[in-house]
Amino acid sequence: MGRPLLIMGATGTLGQAFARACTLRNIPHVLTARHALDITSEASIGAALDRHDPWAVVNAAGWVRVDEAESHAARCFAANSDGPVRLARMAEERGLATLNVSSDLVFGGKAEGAYVETDAPDPRNVYGESKARMEEGLLALAGTHLIVRTAAFFSPHDEFNFAVAVARALTAGQPFEAAADQRITPTYVPHLVRVALDLLIDGEQGLWHLTNETELSWAEFAEAVADSLNLPRHLIRAVPGARLNQMAPRPSRVPLATGRGAHLPSLADALGEFARHEKRQQAVRELA
């Protein structure tokens, strides 16, 4: 067995998805939790890198709670900005590449078209600022550091994402509120991690945008999920984002497009895969 890929984020959607993709592709890997690799500690980072001797590091960990970041800025910056740059610098000292995940929330929503990799960040909230600082720090390093910006990701393997929440509510006959005035480009996690791994293996670096490249409001995304599962879309309530008690300011429109050419399958294909998995899971639940 060759040197493994070290993946951080054992309890998160992306960490588990990267590990699942590696298993499917027979890529040796190690999936670590915070107790085994604390990104705020140089000693912990160094010990993990030396112990596992990876060929590259995927940082799929970090602060993910956008609204809570507004009142916990220091913790958010430690996890999303300072820690990833520290990790990348120490990986670089050992000749290792890194893959890091950023967000559409580095942008402020003022662009007329879709945002591409060369557009300047202009975040409106603490979470977006933390990711923008991470990007700036990584791009200032000399090593091979890949930064994947993505958005509104959804997965059939995780209970805590928007598409699954829509499916659960509508299946139970409950109404579901979603913002009609915030537009995004949803991203299917299995597609995201597959292409991100390809870029890492190919030695790519710098900023790349990876989404399923269809611009929708959150409400329209909810309707698309409903349609894919043949669930009642009339239960979806398209509301202003302000009604959803969001502590963090959200940009009104942050669609991502790529000028670098790494395209994911269509959103229709992504929703089809998501629906097939959800229907299988529903059948299992009904038999239980």
Side-chain angles (χ1 to χ4, degrees), residues 213-262:
E213 298 185 36
T214 297
E215 179 185 344
L216 297 171
S217 70
W218 285 104
E220 291 168 340
F221 182 25
E223 291 172 347
V225 171
D227 291 345
S228 73
L229 293 166
N230 298 313
L231 292 171
R233 65 155 50 200
H234 72 269
L235 291 173
I236 295 165
R237 309 285 189 259
V239 301
R243 177 168 164 172
L244 301 176
N245 298 317
Q246 297 170 332
M247 293 176 60
R250 299 305 203 274
S252 60
R253 183 175 173 273
V254 282
L256 298 182
T258 180
R260 302 195 69 176

CSV table of all heavy atoms in Angstrom, one decimal, residues 213-262:
chain,number,residue,atom,x,y,z
A,213,GLU,N,-23.6,24.3,-11.4
A,213,GLU,CA,-23.7,25.4,-12.4
A,213,GLU,C,-25.1,25.8,-12.9
A,213,GLU,O,-25.3,26.3,-14.0
A,213,GLU,CB,-22.8,25.1,-13.6
A,213,GLU,CG,-21.3,24.9,-13.3
A,213,GLU,CD,-20.4,24.7,-14.5
A,213,GLU,OE1,-20.7,25.3,-15.5
A,213,GLU,OE2,-19.5,24.0,-14.4
A,214,THR,N,-26.0,25.7,-12.0
A,214,THR,CA,-27.4,26.1,-12.3
A,214,THR,C,-27.8,27.1,-11.2
A,214,THR,O,-27.8,26.8,-10.0
A,214,THR,CB,-28.4,25.0,-12.3
A,214,THR,OG1,-28.1,24.1,-13.4
A,214,THR,CG2,-29.8,25.5,-12.5
A,215,GLU,N,-28.1,28.3,-11.5
A,215,GLU,CA,-28.5,29.4,-10.6
A,215,GLU,C,-29.9,29.2,-10.2
A,215,GLU,O,-30.8,29.2,-11.1
A,215,GLU,CB,-28.2,30.8,-11.1
A,215,GLU,CG,-28.6,31.9,-10.2
A,215,GLU,CD,-28.4,33.3,-10.8
A,215,GLU,OE1,-27.8,33.4,-11.8
A,215,GLU,OE2,-29.0,34.2,-10.2
A,216,LEU,N,-30.2,29.2,-8.9
A,216,LEU,CA,-31.6,29.1,-8.4
A,216,LEU,C,-31.7,29.9,-7.1
A,216,LEU,O,-30.7,30.0,-6.4
A,216,LEU,CB,-31.9,27.6,-8.0
A,216,LEU,CG,-31.9,26.5,-9.1
A,216,LEU,CD1,-32.0,25.2,-8.5
A,216,LEU,CD2,-33.1,26.8,-10.1
A,217,SER,N,-32.9,30.3,-6.7
A,217,SER,CA,-33.1,30.7,-5.4
A,217,SER,C,-33.2,29.5,-4.5
A,217,SER,O,-33.5,28.4,-5.0
A,217,SER,CB,-34.4,31.6,-5.3
A,217,SER,OG,-35.5,30.8,-5.4
A,218,TRP,N,-33.1,29.7,-3.2
A,218,TRP,CA,-33.3,28.6,-2.3
A,218,TRP,C,-34.7,28.0,-2.4
A,218,TRP,O,-34.9,26.8,-2.3
A,218,TRP,CB,-33.0,29.0,-0.8
A,218,TRP,CG,-31.6,29.2,-0.5
A,218,TRP,CD1,-30.9,30.4,-0.4
A,218,TRP,CD2,-30.6,28.2,-0.2
A,218,TRP,NE1,-29.6,30.2,0.0
A,218,TRP,CE2,-29.4,28.8,0.1
A,218,TRP,CE3,-30.7,26.8,-0.2
A,218,TRP,CZ2,-28.2,28.1,0.4
A,218,TRP,CZ3,-29.5,26.1,0.1
A,218,TRP,CH2,-28.3,26.7,0.4
A,219,ALA,N,-35.7,28.8,-2.6
A,219,ALA,CA,-37.0,28.4,-2.8
A,219,ALA,C,-37.2,27.5,-4.1
A,219,ALA,O,-37.8,26.5,-4.1
A,219,ALA,CB,-38.0,29.5,-2.8
A,220,GLU,N,-36.5,28.0,-5.2
A,220,GLU,CA,-36.6,27.2,-6.4
A,220,GLU,C,-35.8,25.9,-6.3
A,220,GLU,O,-36.2,24.9,-6.9
A,220,GLU,CB,-36.0,28.1,-7.6
A,220,GLU,CG,-36.8,29.2,-7.9
A,220,GLU,CD,-36.1,30.2,-8.9
A,220,GLU,OE1,-34.9,30.2,-8.9
A,220,GLU,OE2,-36.8,31.0,-9.5
A,221,PHE,N,-34.7,25.9,-5.5
A,221,PHE,CA,-34.0,24.7,-5.2
A,221,PHE,C,-34.9,23.7,-4.5
A,221,PHE,O,-34.9,22.5,-4.8
A,221,PHE,CB,-32.7,25.0,-4.4
A,221,PHE,CG,-31.8,23.9,-4.1
A,221,PHE,CD1,-31.8,22.7,-4.9
A,221,PHE,CD2,-31.0,24.0,-3.0
A,221,PHE,CE1,-31.0,21.6,-4.6
A,221,PHE,CE2,-30.1,22.9,-2.7
A,221,PHE,CZ,-30.1,21.7,-3.5
A,222,ALA,N,-35.6,24.2,-3.5
A,222,ALA,CA,-36.5,23.3,-2.8
A,222,ALA,C,-37.6,22.7,-3.7
A,222,ALA,O,-37.9,21.5,-3.6
A,222,ALA,CB,-37.2,24.1,-1.6
A,223,GLU,N,-38.1,23.5,-4.6
A,223,GLU,CA,-39.1,23.0,-5.6
A,223,GLU,C,-38.5,22.0,-6.5
A,223,GLU,O,-39.1,21.0,-6.8
A,223,GLU,CB,-39.6,24.2,-6.4
A,223,GLU,CG,-40.5,25.1,-5.6
A,223,GLU,CD,-40.9,26.4,-6.3
A,223,GLU,OE1,-40.3,26.6,-7.4
A,223,GLU,OE2,-41.8,27.1,-5.9
A,224,ALA,N,-37.2,22.2,-6.9
A,224,ALA,CA,-36.5,21.2,-7.7
A,224,ALA,C,-36.3,19.9,-7.0
A,224,ALA,O,-36.5,18.8,-7.6
A,224,ALA,CB,-35.2,21.7,-8.2
A,225,VAL,N,-36.0,19.9,-5.7
A,225,VAL,CA,-35.9,18.7,-4.9
A,225,VAL,C,-37.2,18.0,-4.8
A,225,VAL,O,-37.3,16.8,-5.0
A,225,VAL,CB,-35.3,19.1,-3.5
A,225,VAL,CG1,-35.4,17.8,-2.6
A,225,VAL,CG2,-33.9,19.6,-3.6
A,226,ALA,N,-38.3,18.8,-4.6
A,226,ALA,CA,-39.6,18.2,-4.5
A,226,ALA,C,-40.0,17.5,-5.8
A,226,ALA,O,-40.5,16.4,-5.8
A,226,ALA,CB,-40.6,19.3,-4.2
A,227,ASP,N,-39.7,18.2,-6.9
A,227,ASP,CA,-40.1,17.6,-8.2
A,227,ASP,C,-39.3,16.3,-8.4
A,227,ASP,O,-39.8,15.3,-9.0
A,227,ASP,CB,-39.8,18.6,-9.3
A,227,ASP,CG,-40.7,19.8,-9.3
A,227,ASP,OD1,-41.8,19.7,-8.6
A,227,ASP,OD2,-40.4,20.8,-10.0
A,228,SER,N,-38.0,16.3,-8.1
A,228,SER,CA,-37.2,15.1,-8.3
A,228,SER,C,-37.7,13.9,-7.5
A,228,SER,O,-37.5,12.7,-7.9
A,228,SER,CB,-35.7,15.4,-7.9
A,228,SER,OG,-35.5,15.4,-6.5
A,229,LEU,N,-38.4,14.1,-6.4
A,229,LEU,CA,-38.9,13.1,-5.5
A,229,LEU,C,-40.4,12.9,-5.6
A,229,LEU,O,-40.9,12.1,-4.9
A,229,LEU,CB,-38.5,13.4,-4.0
A,229,LEU,CG,-37.0,13.4,-3.7
A,229,LEU,CD1,-36.8,14.1,-2.4
A,229,LEU,CD2,-36.5,12.0,-3.7
A,230,ASN,N,-41.0,13.6,-6.6
A,230,ASN,CA,-42.5,13.5,-6.7
A,230,ASN,C,-43.2,13.8,-5.4
A,230,ASN,O,-44.2,13.2,-5.1
A,230,ASN,CB,-42.9,12.1,-7.2
A,230,ASN,CG,-42.3,11.8,-8.6
A,230,ASN,OD1,-42.3,12.6,-9.5
A,230,ASN,ND2,-41.7,10.6,-8.7
A,231,LEU,N,-42.7,14.8,-4.7
A,231,LEU,CA,-43.3,15.3,-3.5
A,231,LEU,C,-44.1,16.6,-3.8
A,231,LEU,O,-43.8,17.3,-4.7
A,231,LEU,CB,-42.2,15.5,-2.4
A,231,LEU,CG,-41.6,14.3,-1.9
A,231,LEU,CD1,-40.4,14.6,-1.0
A,231,LEU,CD2,-42.5,13.4,-1.2
A,232,PRO,N,-45.0,17.0,-2.9
A,232,PRO,CA,-45.9,18.1,-3.2
A,232,PRO,C,-45.2,19.5,-3.1
A,232,PRO,O,-44.9,19.9,-1.9
A,232,PRO,CB,-47.0,18.0,-2.1
A,232,PRO,CG,-46.4,17.2,-1.0
A,232,PRO,CD,-45.4,16.2,-1.7
A,233,ARG,N,-44.9,20.1,-4.2
A,233,ARG,CA,-44.2,21.4,-4.1
A,233,ARG,C,-45.1,22.5,-3.6
A,233,ARG,O,-44.5,23.6,-3.2
A,233,ARG,CB,-43.7,21.8,-5.5
A,233,ARG,CG,-44.7,22.0,-6.6
A,233,ARG,CD,-44.3,22.9,-7.7
A,233,ARG,NE,-43.0,22.6,-8.3
A,233,ARG,CZ,-42.3,23.5,-9.0
A,233,ARG,NH1,-42.8,24.7,-9.1
A,233,ARG,NH2,-41.2,23.2,-9.6
A,234,HIS,N,-46.4,22.3,-3.5
A,234,HIS,CA,-47.2,23.4,-3.0
A,234,HIS,C,-47.0,23.6,-1.5
A,234,HIS,O,-47.4,24.6,-0.9
A,234,HIS,CB,-48.7,23.1,-3.2
A,234,HIS,CG,-49.3,21.9,-2.4
A,234,HIS,ND1,-49.3,20.6,-2.8
A,234,HIS,CD2,-49.8,22.0,-1.1
A,234,HIS,CE1,-49.8,19.9,-1.8
A,234,HIS,NE2,-50.1,20.7,-0.8
A,235,LEU,N,-46.3,22.7,-0.8
A,235,LEU,CA,-46.0,22.9,0.6
A,235,LEU,C,-44.8,23.8,0.8
A,235,LEU,O,-44.5,24.2,1.9
A,235,LEU,CB,-45.7,21.5,1.2
A,235,LEU,CG,-46.9,20.6,1.4
A,235,LEU,CD1,-46.4,19.2,1.9
A,235,LEU,CD2,-47.9,21.2,2.4
A,236,ILE,N,-44.1,24.1,-0.3
A,236,ILE,CA,-42.9,25.0,-0.2
A,236,ILE,C,-43.4,26.4,-0.1
A,236,ILE,O,-44.2,26.9,-0.9
A,236,ILE,CB,-42.0,24.8,-1.3
A,236,ILE,CG1,-41.4,23.4,-1.3
A,236,ILE,CG2,-40.8,25.8,-1.3
A,236,ILE,CD1,-40.7,22.9,-2.5
A,237,ARG,N,-42.9,27.2,0.9
A,237,ARG,CA,-43.3,28.6,1.0
A,237,ARG,C,-42.1,29.4,0.7
A,237,ARG,O,-41.1,29.4,1.4
A,237,ARG,CB,-43.7,28.9,2.5
A,237,ARG,CG,-44.7,27.9,3.1
A,237,ARG,CD,-46.1,28.2,2.5
A,237,ARG,NE,-47.2,27.5,3.2
A,237,ARG,CZ,-47.7,26.4,2.7
A,237,ARG,NH1,-47.4,25.9,1.5
A,237,ARG,NH2,-48.7,25.7,3.4
A,238,ALA,N,-42.2,30.2,-0.4
A,238,ALA,CA,-41.1,31.1,-0.8
A,238,ALA,C,-41.3,32.4,0.0
A,238,ALA,O,-42.2,33.1,-0.2
A,238,ALA,CB,-41.2,31.3,-2.3
A,239,VAL,N,-40.3,32.7,0.8
A,239,VAL,CA,-40.4,33.8,1.7
A,239,VAL,C,-39.1,34.7,1.6
A,239,VAL,O,-38.1,34.2,1.1
A,239,VAL,CB,-40.5,33.3,3.2
A,239,VAL,CG1,-41.8,32.5,3.3
A,239,VAL,CG2,-39.3,32.5,3.6
A,240,PRO,N,-39.2,35.9,2.1
A,240,PRO,CA,-37.9,36.7,2.1
A,240,PRO,C,-36.9,36.1,3.1
A,240,PRO,O,-37.3,35.6,4.2
A,240,PRO,CB,-38.4,38.1,2.6
A,240,PRO,CG,-39.9,38.1,2.4
A,240,PRO,CD,-40.3,36.7,2.5
A,241,GLY,N,-35.7,36.2,2.8
A,241,GLY,CA,-34.7,35.6,3.7
A,241,GLY,C,-34.7,36.2,5.1
A,241,GLY,O,-34.4,35.5,6.1
A,242,ALA,N,-35.1,37.5,5.2
A,242,ALA,CA,-35.2,38.1,6.5
A,242,ALA,C,-36.2,37.4,7.4
A,242,ALA,O,-36.1,37.5,8.6
A,242,ALA,CB,-35.6,39.6,6.3
A,243,ARG,N,-37.1,36.7,6.9
A,243,ARG,CA,-38.1,36.0,7.7
A,243,ARG,C,-37.5,34.8,8.3
A,243,ARG,O,-38.1,34.2,9.3
A,243,ARG,CB,-39.3,35.6,6.8
A,243,ARG,CG,-40.4,34.8,7.5
A,243,ARG,CD,-41.6,34.8,6.7
A,243,ARG,NE,-42.5,33.7,7.2
A,243,ARG,CZ,-43.8,33.5,6.7
A,243,ARG,NH1,-44.3,34.3,5.8
A,243,ARG,NH2,-44.5,32.5,7.2
A,244,LEU,N,-36.4,34.3,7.9
A,244,LEU,CA,-35.8,33.0,8.4
A,244,LEU,C,-34.9,33.2,9.6
A,244,LEU,O,-34.2,32.3,10.0
A,244,LEU,CB,-35.1,32.4,7.2
A,244,LEU,CG,-35.9,32.1,6.0
A,244,LEU,CD1,-35.1,31.5,4.9
A,244,LEU,CD2,-37.1,31.1,6.4
A,245,ASN,N,-34.9,34.4,10.2
A,245,ASN,CA,-34.1,34.6,11.4
A,245,ASN,C,-32.6,34.3,11.2
A,245,ASN,O,-32.0,33.7,12.1
A,245,ASN,CB,-34.7,33.8,12.6
A,245,ASN,CG,-36.1,34.2,12.9
A,245,ASN,OD1,-36.4,35.4,12.9
A,245,ASN,ND2,-36.9,33.2,13.2
A,246,GLN,N,-32.1,34.7,10.1
A,246,GLN,CA,-30.7,34.5,9.8
A,246,GLN,C,-29.9,35.7,10.5
A,246,GLN,O,-30.1,36.8,10.2
A,246,GLN,CB,-30.4,34.5,8.3
A,246,GLN,CG,-31.1,33.4,7.6
A,246,GLN,CD,-31.1,33.5,6.1
A,246,GLN,OE1,-31.0,34.6,5.5
A,246,GLN,NE2,-31.1,32.4,5.4
A,247,MET,N,-29.0,35.3,11.4
A,247,MET,CA,-28.2,36.3,12.1
A,247,MET,C,-27.1,36.9,11.1
A,247,MET,O,-26.8,38.1,11.2
A,247,MET,CB,-27.5,35.6,13.3
A,247,MET,CG,-28.4,35.2,14.4
A,247,MET,SD,-27.5,34.3,15.7
A,247,MET,CE,-26.3,35.6,16.2
A,248,ALA,N,-26.6,36.1,10.2
A,248,ALA,CA,-25.5,36.6,9.3
A,248,ALA,C,-26.2,37.2,8.1
A,248,ALA,O,-27.0,36.6,7.5
A,248,ALA,CB,-24.6,35.4,8.9
A,249,PRO,N,-25.7,38.4,7.7
A,249,PRO,CA,-26.2,38.9,6.4
A,249,PRO,C,-25.9,38.0,5.2
A,249,PRO,O,-24.8,37.4,5.2
A,249,PRO,CB,-25.5,40.3,6.3
A,249,PRO,CG,-24.9,40.6,7.7
A,249,PRO,CD,-24.7,39.2,8.3
A,250,ARG,N,-26.8,37.9,4.3
A,250,ARG,CA,-26.6,37.0,3.1
A,250,ARG,C,-26.6,37.9,1.9
A,250,ARG,O,-27.4,38.8,1.8
A,250,ARG,CB,-27.7,36.0,3.0
A,250,ARG,CG,-27.9,34.9,4.1
A,250,ARG,CD,-26.6,34.2,4.4
A,250,ARG,NE,-26.9,32.9,5.1
A,250,ARG,CZ,-27.1,32.7,6.4
A,250,ARG,NH1,-27.1,33.7,7.2
A,250,ARG,NH2,-27.3,31.5,6.9
A,251,PRO,N,-25.7,37.6,1.0
A,251,PRO,CA,-25.8,38.3,-0.3
A,251,PRO,C,-27.0,37.8,-1.1
A,251,PRO,O,-27.5,36.7,-0.9
A,251,PRO,CB,-24.5,37.9,-1.1
A,251,PRO,CG,-24.1,36.6,-0.4
A,251,PRO,CD,-24.6,36.7,1.0
A,252,SER,N,-27.6,38.7,-1.9
A,252,SER,CA,-28.8,38.4,-2.6
A,252,SER,C,-28.5,37.4,-3.8
A,252,SER,O,-29.4,36.6,-4.2
A,252,SER,CB,-29.5,39.6,-3.1
A,252,SER,OG,-28.6,40.3,-4.0
A,253,ARG,N,-27.3,37.4,-4.3
A,253,ARG,CA,-27.1,36.6,-5.5
A,253,ARG,C,-25.6,36.3,-5.7
A,253,ARG,O,-24.8,37.3,-5.9
A,253,ARG,CB,-27.6,37.4,-6.8
A,253,ARG,CG,-27.5,36.6,-8.1
A,253,ARG,CD,-28.1,37.4,-9.2
A,253,ARG,NE,-27.8,36.7,-10.5
A,253,ARG,CZ,-26.7,36.9,-11.2
A,253,ARG,NH1,-25.8,37.8,-10.8
A,253,ARG,NH2,-26.5,36.2,-12.3
A,254,VAL,N,-25.2,35.1,-5.5
A,254,VAL,CA,-23.8,34.7,-5.6
A,254,VAL,C,-23.6,33.4,-6.4
A,254,VAL,O,-23.0,32.4,-6.0
A,254,VAL,CB,-23.1,34.5,-4.2
A,254,VAL,CG1,-22.8,35.9,-3.6
A,254,VAL,CG2,-24.0,33.7,-3.3
A,255,PRO,N,-24.1,33.4,-7.7
A,255,PRO,CA,-23.9,32.2,-8.5
A,255,PRO,C,-22.4,32.1,-8.8
A,255,PRO,O,-21.7,33.1,-9.1
A,255,PRO,CB,-24.7,32.5,-9.7
A,255,PRO,CG,-24.8,34.0,-9.8
A,255,PRO,CD,-24.8,34.4,-8.4
A,256,LEU,N,-21.9,30.8,-8.8
A,256,LEU,CA,-20.5,30.6,-9.2
A,256,LEU,C,-20.4,29.9,-10.6
A,256,LEU,O,-21.2,29.0,-10.9
A,256,LEU,CB,-19.8,29.6,-8.2
A,256,LEU,CG,-19.7,30.1,-6.7
A,256,LEU,CD1,-19.0,29.0,-5.9
A,256,LEU,CD2,-19.0,31.4,-6.6
A,257,ALA,N,-19.5,30.4,-11.4
A,257,ALA,CA,-19.2,29.7,-12.6
A,257,ALA,C,-17.7,29.6,-12.7
A,257,ALA,O,-17.0,30.1,-11.8
A,257,ALA,CB,-19.6,30.6,-13.8
A,258,THR,N,-17.2,28.8,-13.6
A,258,THR,CA,-15.8,28.5,-13.7
A,258,THR,C,-15.2,29.1,-15.0
A,258,THR,O,-15.7,28.9,-16.0
A,258,THR,CB,-15.4,27.0,-13.5
A,258,THR,OG1,-14.0,26.9,-13.6
A,258,THR,CG2,-16.1,26.2,-14.6
A,259,GLY,N,-14.0,29.7,-14.8
A,259,GLY,CA,-13.3,30.1,-16.0
A,259,GLY,C,-12.1,29.2,-16.2
A,259,GLY,O,-11.3,29.4,-17.2
A,260,ARG,N,-12.0,28.1,-15.4
A,260,ARG,CA,-10.9,27.2,-15.5
A,260,ARG,C,-11.2,25.9,-16.1
A,260,ARG,O,-10.3,25.1,-16.4
A,260,ARG,CB,-10.2,27.0,-14.1
A,260,ARG,CG,-9.8,28.4,-13.5
A,260,ARG,CD,-8.9,28.2,-12.3
A,260,ARG,NE,-7.6,27.6,-12.7
A,260,ARG,CZ,-6.6,27.4,-11.8
A,260,ARG,NH1,-6.7,27.7,-10.6
A,260,ARG,NH2,-5.4,26.9,-12.3
A,261,GLY,N,-12.5,25.6,-16.3
A,261,GLY,CA,-12.8,24.4,-17.1
A,261,GLY,C,-13.1,23.1,-16.3
A,261,GLY,O,-13.2,22.1,-17.0
A,262,ALA,N,-13.2,23.1,-15.0
A,262,ALA,CA,-13.5,21.9,-14.3
A,262,ALA,C,-15.0,21.8,-14.0
A,262,ALA,O,-15.5,22.5,-13.1
A,262,ALA,CB,-12.7,21.8,-13.0
